Structure formats: structure tokens, C-alpha cells
Coordinates of all heavy atoms in Angstrom, one line a residue:
M213 N 54.0 -9.4 -41.5 CA 53.5 -10.6 -40.8 C 53.4 -10.4 -39.3 O 54.3 -9.7 -38.7 CB 54.6 -11.7 -41.1 CG 54.1 -13.1 -40.7 SD 55.3 -14.3 -40.9 CE 55.5 -14.3 -42.7
T214 N 52.4 -10.9 -38.8 CA 52.1 -10.7 -37.3 C 53.1 -11.6 -36.5 O 53.3 -12.7 -36.8 CB 50.7 -11.1 -37.0 OG1 49.8 -10.5 -37.9 CG2 50.4 -10.7 -35.6
E215 N 53.7 -11.0 -35.6 CA 54.5 -11.7 -34.6 C 53.7 -12.1 -33.5 O 53.4 -11.3 -32.5 CB 55.7 -10.9 -34.1 CG 56.8 -10.6 -35.2 CD 57.5 -11.8 -35.6 OE1 57.6 -12.8 -34.8 OE2 58.0 -11.8 -36.8
W216 N 53.1 -13.3 -33.5 CA 52.1 -13.7 -32.5 C 52.7 -13.9 -31.2 O 52.0 -13.9 -30.2 CB 51.3 -14.9 -33.0 CG 52.1 -16.2 -33.1 CD1 52.9 -16.6 -34.1 CD2 52.1 -17.2 -32.1 NE1 53.4 -17.8 -33.8 CE2 52.9 -18.2 -32.6 CE3 51.4 -17.4 -30.9 CZ2 53.1 -19.4 -31.9 CZ3 51.6 -18.5 -30.2 CH2 52.5 -19.5 -30.7
E217 N 54.1 -14.0 -31.1 CA 54.7 -14.1 -29.8 C 54.4 -12.8 -29.0 O 54.4 -12.9 -27.8 CB 56.2 -14.3 -29.9 CG 56.6 -15.7 -30.4 CD 56.6 -15.9 -31.9 OE1 56.1 -15.0 -32.6 OE2 57.1 -16.9 -32.4
D218 N 54.3 -11.7 -29.7 CA 54.0 -10.5 -29.0 C 52.6 -10.5 -28.4 O 52.3 -9.7 -27.5 CB 54.1 -9.3 -30.0 CG 55.6 -9.2 -30.5 OD1 56.5 -9.8 -29.8 OD2 55.8 -8.6 -31.5
L219 N 51.7 -11.2 -29.1 CA 50.3 -11.2 -28.7 C 50.0 -12.2 -27.5 O 49.1 -12.1 -26.8 CB 49.4 -11.6 -29.9 CG 49.5 -10.8 -31.1 CD1 48.7 -11.4 -32.3 CD2 49.1 -9.4 -30.9
I220 N 50.9 -13.2 -27.4 CA 50.7 -14.2 -26.4 C 51.9 -14.3 -25.5 O 52.9 -14.8 -25.9 CB 50.5 -15.6 -27.1 CG1 49.4 -15.5 -28.1 CG2 50.1 -16.6 -26.0 CD1 49.4 -16.7 -29.1
P221 N 51.9 -13.6 -24.4 CA 53.0 -13.6 -23.5 C 53.4 -14.9 -22.9 O 54.6 -15.2 -22.9 CB 52.6 -12.6 -22.3 CG 51.3 -12.2 -22.6 CD 50.7 -12.9 -23.8
A222 N 52.5 -15.7 -22.5 CA 52.8 -17.0 -21.9 C 53.0 -18.0 -23.0 O 52.3 -18.0 -24.0 CB 51.6 -17.5 -21.0
P223 N 54.0 -18.9 -22.8 CA 54.3 -19.9 -23.8 C 53.4 -21.1 -23.8 O 53.7 -22.2 -23.7 CB 55.7 -20.3 -23.5 CG 55.8 -20.2 -22.0 CD 54.9 -19.0 -21.7
R224 N 52.1 -20.7 -23.9 CA 51.1 -21.8 -23.9 C 50.7 -22.2 -25.4 O 50.8 -21.4 -26.3 CB 49.8 -21.3 -23.2 CG 49.9 -21.2 -21.7 CD 48.7 -20.5 -21.2 NE 47.5 -21.2 -21.6 CZ 46.3 -20.7 -21.5 NH1 46.1 -19.5 -21.0 NH2 45.2 -21.4 -21.8
S225 N 50.3 -23.4 -25.5 CA 50.0 -23.9 -26.8 C 48.6 -23.4 -27.1 O 47.7 -23.3 -26.3 CB 50.0 -25.4 -26.9 OG 49.2 -25.9 -25.9
R226 N 48.4 -23.0 -28.3 CA 47.1 -22.5 -28.8 C 46.8 -23.0 -30.2 O 47.7 -23.5 -30.9 CB 47.1 -20.9 -28.9 CG 47.4 -20.2 -27.6 CD 46.2 -20.3 -26.7 NE 46.4 -19.7 -25.4 CZ 46.1 -18.4 -25.2 NH1 45.6 -17.6 -26.1 NH2 46.4 -17.9 -24.0
F227 N 45.5 -22.9 -30.5 CA 45.2 -23.1 -31.9 C 45.1 -21.8 -32.6 O 44.5 -20.8 -32.1 CB 43.9 -23.9 -32.0 CG 44.1 -25.3 -31.7 CD1 43.8 -25.8 -30.4 CD2 44.5 -26.2 -32.7 CE1 44.0 -27.2 -30.1 CE2 44.7 -27.6 -32.4 CZ 44.4 -28.0 -31.1
L228 N 45.6 -21.7 -33.8 CA 45.6 -20.4 -34.5 C 44.9 -20.7 -35.9 O 45.1 -21.7 -36.5 CB 47.1 -20.0 -34.8 CG 48.0 -20.0 -33.6 CD1 49.4 -19.8 -34.1 CD2 47.7 -18.9 -32.7
R229 N 44.2 -19.7 -36.3 CA 43.7 -19.7 -37.7 C 44.7 -18.9 -38.5 O 44.9 -17.8 -38.3 CB 42.3 -19.1 -37.8 CG 41.7 -19.3 -39.2 CD 40.3 -18.7 -39.2 NE 39.3 -19.5 -38.4 CZ 38.7 -20.6 -38.9 NH1 39.0 -21.1 -40.1 NH2 37.9 -21.3 -38.1
V230 N 45.2 -19.6 -39.5 CA 46.3 -19.1 -40.3 C 45.8 -19.0 -41.7 O 45.3 -19.9 -42.3 CB 47.6 -19.9 -40.2 CG1 48.7 -19.3 -41.1 CG2 48.1 -19.9 -38.7
K231 N 46.1 -17.8 -42.3 CA 45.7 -17.6 -43.7 C 47.0 -17.8 -44.6 O 48.0 -17.3 -44.3 CB 45.2 -16.2 -43.9 CG 44.6 -15.9 -45.2 CD 44.1 -14.5 -45.3 CE 43.4 -14.2 -46.6 NZ 42.8 -12.8 -46.5
C232 N 46.8 -18.7 -45.6 CA 47.9 -18.9 -46.5 C 48.1 -17.7 -47.3 O 47.2 -17.1 -47.9 CB 47.5 -20.1 -47.4 SG 48.7 -20.4 -48.7
L233 N 49.4 -17.3 -47.4 CA 49.8 -16.1 -48.1 C 49.7 -16.3 -49.6 O 49.7 -15.3 -50.4 CB 51.2 -15.6 -47.7 CG 51.4 -15.3 -46.3 CD1 52.8 -14.9 -46.0 CD2 50.4 -14.1 -45.9
K234 N 49.7 -17.5 -50.0 CA 49.8 -17.8 -51.5 C 48.4 -17.9 -52.1 O 48.1 -17.3 -53.1 CB 50.5 -19.2 -51.7 CG 51.4 -19.3 -52.8 CD 52.2 -20.5 -52.7 CE 52.8 -20.9 -54.1 NZ 53.5 -22.2 -54.0
C235 N 47.4 -18.6 -51.4 CA 46.1 -18.8 -52.0 C 45.0 -18.2 -51.2 O 43.8 -18.2 -51.7 CB 45.9 -20.2 -52.3 SG 45.6 -21.2 -50.8
G236 N 45.2 -17.8 -50.0 CA 44.2 -17.2 -49.2 C 43.4 -18.1 -48.4 O 42.5 -17.7 -47.6
N237 N 43.6 -19.4 -48.5 CA 42.9 -20.4 -47.7 C 43.2 -20.2 -46.2 O 44.4 -19.9 -45.8 CB 43.4 -21.8 -48.2 CG 42.9 -22.9 -47.3 OD1 41.7 -23.0 -47.0 ND2 43.8 -23.8 -46.8
E238 N 42.2 -20.4 -45.4 CA 42.4 -20.3 -43.9 C 42.3 -21.7 -43.3 O 41.4 -22.4 -43.6 CB 41.4 -19.3 -43.3 CG 41.6 -17.9 -43.7 CD 40.6 -17.0 -43.1 OE1 39.8 -17.4 -42.3 OE2 40.6 -15.8 -43.5
Q239 N 43.2 -22.0 -42.5 CA 43.0 -23.3 -41.8 C 43.6 -23.2 -40.4 O 44.4 -22.3 -40.1 CB 43.6 -24.5 -42.5 CG 45.1 -24.5 -42.7 CD 45.5 -25.6 -43.7 OE1 45.2 -25.6 -44.8 NE2 46.3 -26.5 -43.2
V240 N 43.2 -24.1 -39.5 CA 43.6 -24.1 -38.1 C 44.9 -24.8 -37.9 O 45.1 -25.9 -38.5 CB 42.5 -24.7 -37.2 CG1 43.0 -24.8 -35.8 CG2 41.2 -23.9 -37.4
V241 N 45.9 -24.2 -37.3 CA 47.2 -24.7 -37.0 C 47.4 -24.8 -35.5 O 47.1 -23.8 -34.8 CB 48.3 -23.9 -37.7 CG1 49.7 -24.3 -37.4 CG2 48.0 -23.9 -39.2
F242 N 48.0 -25.8 -35.0 CA 48.4 -25.9 -33.6 C 49.7 -25.2 -33.4 O 50.6 -25.4 -34.2 CB 48.5 -27.4 -33.2 CG 48.8 -27.6 -31.8 CD1 48.0 -27.0 -30.8 CD2 49.7 -28.5 -31.4 CE1 48.2 -27.2 -29.5 CE2 50.0 -28.8 -30.0 CZ 49.2 -28.1 -29.1
S243 N 49.7 -24.3 -32.4 CA 50.9 -23.4 -32.2 C 52.1 -24.2 -31.9 O 53.2 -23.7 -32.1 CB 50.6 -22.4 -31.1 OG 50.5 -23.1 -29.9
N244 N 52.0 -25.4 -31.3 CA 53.2 -26.2 -31.0 C 53.3 -27.4 -31.9 O 53.7 -28.5 -31.5 CB 53.1 -26.7 -29.5 CG 53.3 -25.6 -28.5 OD1 53.0 -24.4 -28.8 ND2 53.7 -25.9 -27.4
A245 N 52.9 -27.2 -33.1 CA 53.0 -28.3 -34.1 C 54.4 -28.8 -34.2 O 55.4 -28.1 -34.2 CB 52.6 -27.8 -35.5
V246 N 54.5 -30.1 -34.2 CA 55.9 -30.8 -34.2 C 56.2 -31.2 -35.7 O 57.3 -31.6 -36.0 CB 56.0 -32.0 -33.3 CG1 56.0 -31.5 -31.8 CG2 54.9 -33.0 -33.5
N247 N 55.2 -31.2 -36.5 CA 55.4 -31.5 -37.9 C 55.2 -30.2 -38.7 O 54.4 -29.4 -38.4 CB 54.5 -32.6 -38.4 CG 54.8 -33.9 -37.6 OD1 55.9 -34.4 -37.5 ND2 53.7 -34.5 -37.0
E248 N 55.8 -30.2 -39.9 CA 55.5 -29.1 -40.8 C 54.0 -29.1 -41.2 O 53.5 -30.2 -41.5 CB 56.4 -29.3 -42.1 CG 56.4 -28.1 -42.9 CD 57.4 -28.3 -44.1 OE1 57.0 -29.0 -45.1 OE2 58.5 -27.8 -44.0
V249 N 53.4 -28.0 -41.2 CA 52.0 -27.9 -41.6 C 51.9 -27.2 -42.9 O 52.5 -26.1 -43.1 CB 51.2 -27.1 -40.6 CG1 49.7 -27.0 -41.0 CG2 51.3 -27.7 -39.2
T250 N 51.2 -27.8 -43.9 CA 51.1 -27.2 -45.2 C 49.6 -26.9 -45.5 O 48.7 -27.5 -44.9 CB 51.6 -28.2 -46.3 OG1 51.0 -29.5 -46.2 CG2 53.1 -28.4 -46.2
C251 N 49.5 -26.0 -46.4 CA 48.1 -25.6 -46.8 C 47.4 -26.7 -47.5 O 48.0 -27.4 -48.3 CB 48.3 -24.4 -47.8 SG 46.8 -23.9 -48.5
N252 N 46.2 -26.9 -47.1 CA 45.4 -28.0 -47.7 C 45.0 -27.8 -49.2 O 44.7 -28.7 -49.9 CB 44.1 -28.2 -46.9 CG 44.3 -28.8 -45.6 OD1 45.2 -29.5 -45.3 ND2 43.4 -28.4 -44.6
V253 N 45.1 -26.5 -49.6 CA 44.7 -26.2 -51.0 C 45.9 -26.2 -51.9 O 46.0 -26.9 -52.9 CB 44.0 -24.8 -51.0 CG1 43.7 -24.4 -52.4 CG2 42.7 -24.9 -50.2
C254 N 47.0 -25.5 -51.5 CA 48.1 -25.3 -52.5 C 49.4 -25.9 -52.0 O 50.4 -25.9 -52.8 CB 48.3 -23.8 -52.8 SG 49.0 -22.9 -51.4
G255 N 49.5 -26.4 -50.8 CA 50.7 -27.0 -50.3 C 51.8 -26.1 -49.8 O 52.8 -26.6 -49.4
N256 N 51.5 -24.8 -49.8 CA 52.4 -23.9 -49.2 C 52.6 -24.2 -47.7 O 51.7 -24.6 -47.0 CB 51.8 -22.5 -49.4 CG 52.8 -21.4 -49.1 OD1 54.0 -21.5 -49.3 ND2 52.3 -20.3 -48.5
V257 N 53.8 -24.0 -47.2 CA 54.1 -24.2 -45.8 C 53.5 -23.1 -44.9 O 53.8 -22.0 -45.1 CB 55.6 -24.3 -45.6 CG1 55.9 -24.5 -44.1 CG2 56.2 -25.5 -46.4
L258 N 52.7 -23.6 -44.0 CA 52.0 -22.6 -43.1 C 52.7 -22.5 -41.7 O 52.7 -21.5 -41.1 CB 50.6 -23.0 -42.9 CG 49.7 -22.9 -44.1 CD1 48.3 -23.3 -43.7 CD2 49.7 -21.6 -44.8
A259 N 53.3 -23.6 -41.3 CA 54.0 -23.6 -40.0 C 55.2 -24.6 -40.1 O 55.1 -25.7 -40.6 CB 53.1 -24.0 -38.9
E260 N 56.3 -24.2 -39.5 CA 57.5 -25.0 -39.4 C 57.8 -25.3 -38.0 O 57.8 -24.3 -37.2 CB 58.7 -24.3 -40.0 CG 58.8 -24.3 -41.5 CD 60.0 -23.6 -42.0 OE1 60.7 -23.0 -41.2 OE2 60.3 -23.7 -43.2
P261 N 58.1 -26.5 -37.6 CA 58.4 -26.8 -36.2 C 59.7 -26.1 -35.9 O 60.7 -26.1 -36.7 CB 58.5 -28.3 -36.1 CG 58.7 -28.7 -37.5 CD 58.1 -27.7 -38.4
S262 N 59.8 -25.5 -34.7 CA 61.1 -25.0 -34.2 C 61.2 -25.3 -32.7 O 60.3 -26.0 -32.2 CB 61.2 -23.5 -34.5 OG 60.3 -22.8 -33.7
S263 N 62.1 -24.8 -32.0 CA 62.3 -25.2 -30.6 C 61.1 -24.8 -29.8 O 60.9 -23.6 -29.6 CB 63.6 -24.6 -30.1 OG 63.6 -23.2 -30.3
G264 N 60.3 -25.7 -29.4 CA 59.2 -25.4 -28.5 C 57.9 -25.2 -29.3 O 56.9 -25.8 -29.0
R265 N 57.9 -24.2 -30.2 CA 56.6 -24.0 -30.9 C 56.9 -23.6 -32.3 O 58.0 -23.3 -32.7 CB 55.8 -22.9 -30.2 CG 56.5 -21.6 -30.0 CD 55.6 -20.7 -29.3 NE 56.2 -19.5 -28.9 CZ 55.6 -18.6 -28.1 NH1 54.4 -18.8 -27.7 NH2 56.2 -17.5 -27.8
A266 N 55.8 -23.8 -33.1 CA 55.9 -23.7 -34.5 C 56.2 -22.2 -34.9 O 55.7 -21.3 -34.3 CB 54.7 -24.2 -35.2
K267 N 56.9 -22.1 -36.0 CA 57.1 -20.8 -36.7 C 56.0 -20.7 -37.7 O 55.8 -21.5 -38.6 CB 58.4 -20.8 -37.4 CG 59.4 -19.9 -36.9 CD 60.6 -19.9 -37.8 CE 61.8 -19.1 -37.2 NZ 63.0 -19.4 -37.9
I268 N 55.1 -19.6 -37.5 CA 54.0 -19.5 -38.4 C 54.5 -18.7 -39.6 O 55.0 -17.6 -39.5 CB 52.9 -18.7 -37.7 CG1 52.5 -19.5 -36.4 CG2 51.7 -18.6 -38.6 CD1 52.0 -20.9 -36.6
K269 N 54.2 -19.3 -40.8 CA 54.7 -18.6 -42.1 C 53.6 -17.9 -42.8 O 53.8 -17.2 -43.8 CB 55.2 -19.7 -43.0 CG 56.1 -20.7 -42.4 CD 57.4 -20.0 -42.0 CE 58.5 -20.3 -43.0 NZ 59.8 -19.7 -42.6
G270 N 52.3 -18.0 -42.3 CA 51.2 -17.3 -43.0 C 50.8 -16.1 -42.1 O 51.4 -15.7 -41.1
E271 N 49.6 -15.6 -42.4 CA 49.0 -14.5 -41.7 C 48.1 -15.1 -40.6 O 47.2 -15.9 -40.9 CB 48.2 -13.6 -42.6 CG 47.6 -12.4 -41.9 CD 46.7 -11.6 -42.9 OE1 46.9 -11.7 -44.1 OE2 45.8 -11.0 -42.4
I272 N 48.3 -14.7 -39.4 CA 47.4 -15.2 -38.3 C 46.1 -14.4 -38.2 O 46.2 -13.2 -38.1 CB 48.2 -15.2 -36.9 CG1 49.3 -16.2 -37.0 CG2 47.2 -15.5 -35.8 CD1 50.4 -15.8 -36.0
V273 N 45.0 -15.1 -38.4 CA 43.7 -14.4 -38.5 C 43.1 -14.4 -37.1 O 42.5 -13.4 -36.7 CB 42.8 -15.2 -39.5 CG1 41.5 -14.5 -39.6 CG2 43.5 -15.2 -40.9
T274 N 43.1 -15.5 -36.4 CA 42.5 -15.7 -35.1 C 43.4 -16.5 -34.2 O 44.0 -17.4 -34.6 CB 41.1 -16.4 -35.2 OG1 40.4 -15.8 -36.3 CG2 40.3 -16.3 -34.0
V275 N 43.4 -16.1 -32.9 CA 44.0 -16.9 -31.9 C 42.9 -17.5 -31.0 O 42.2 -16.7 -30.5 CB 45.1 -16.2 -31.1 CG1 45.6 -17.0 -30.0 CG2 46.2 -15.6 -32.0
F276 N 42.8 -18.7 -31.0 CA 41.7 -19.3 -30.2 C 42.1 -19.4 -28.7 O 43.2 -19.8 -28.4 CB 41.4 -20.7 -30.6 CG 40.8 -20.8 -32.0 CD1 41.6 -21.0 -33.1 CD2 39.5 -20.5 -32.2 CE1 41.1 -21.0 -34.4 CE2 38.9 -20.5 -33.5 CZ 39.7 -20.7 -34.6
E277 N 41.3 -18.9 -27.8 CA 41.6 -18.9 -26.4 C 41.3 -20.3 -25.8 O 40.4 -21.0 -26.2 CB 40.7 -17.9 -25.7 CG 41.0 -16.5 -26.1 CD 42.5 -16.0 -25.7 OE1 43.0 -16.6 -24.7 OE2 43.0 -15.2 -26.4
Ligands
LIG296 ZN1 47.5 -22.1 -49.9

């Protein structure tokens, strides 16, 4: 799993395209999501809120600048 903290040095909020590890669906997740984000297709958790920014549970495909 990609540690996107390593890719983004500054703690800025971003939009990420995250691929669901369960079904392969890709959807856009806000990096500072305050609510749990689930896959629109299978309901698998893609991001969990944690202190400051979300913990991404899927594969990060794209980081939007
Ligand atoms: Zn899914």
C-alpha cells in the first residue's frame, strides 16, 4: 500500500483517486475527510478519519494537484 504521506510533504488537503482493494472501483476521496468514506460499489471502507487527515485504506491511483 502506498504511503501517500511520503509523496506529499506538506500537510495540505488534496483529492485522491483511490482504488478499492476489494472490487477495483476507483473513486475520488478527500484527503482530509472527516467521515468514513466507503466504496460506492461494494461498501468497502476506503478512508477512515484520523487526526487531521484521513487514513487511506485502498490503493492511491492519482493525487490531484
Ligand atoms: Zn469496492
Side-chain angles (χ1 to χ4, degrees):
M213 190 185 296
T214 310
E215 291 294 333
W216 68 279
E217 285 86 350
D218 297 341
L219 304 173
I220 309 165
R224 287 175 53 196
S225 56
R226 296 290 176 91
F227 284 96
L228 312 167
R229 185 177 292 277
V230 178
K231 187 176 184 179
C232 175
L233 298 177
K234 218 168 162 185
C235 73
N237 173 51
E238 291 180 6
Q239 70 189 60
V240 176
V241 174
F242 185 48
S243 67
N244 289 27
V246 290
N247 298 307
E248 194 175 79
V249 179
T250 54
C251 176
N252 288 332
V253 176
C254 73
N256 190 36
V257 175
L258 297 181
E260 279 181 351
S262 67
S263 53
R265 56 184 171 185
K267 247 186 187 168
I268 305 300
K269 311 292 262 182
E271 183 187 335
I272 293 156
V273 181
T274 313
V275 177
F276 294 98
E277 296 296 330

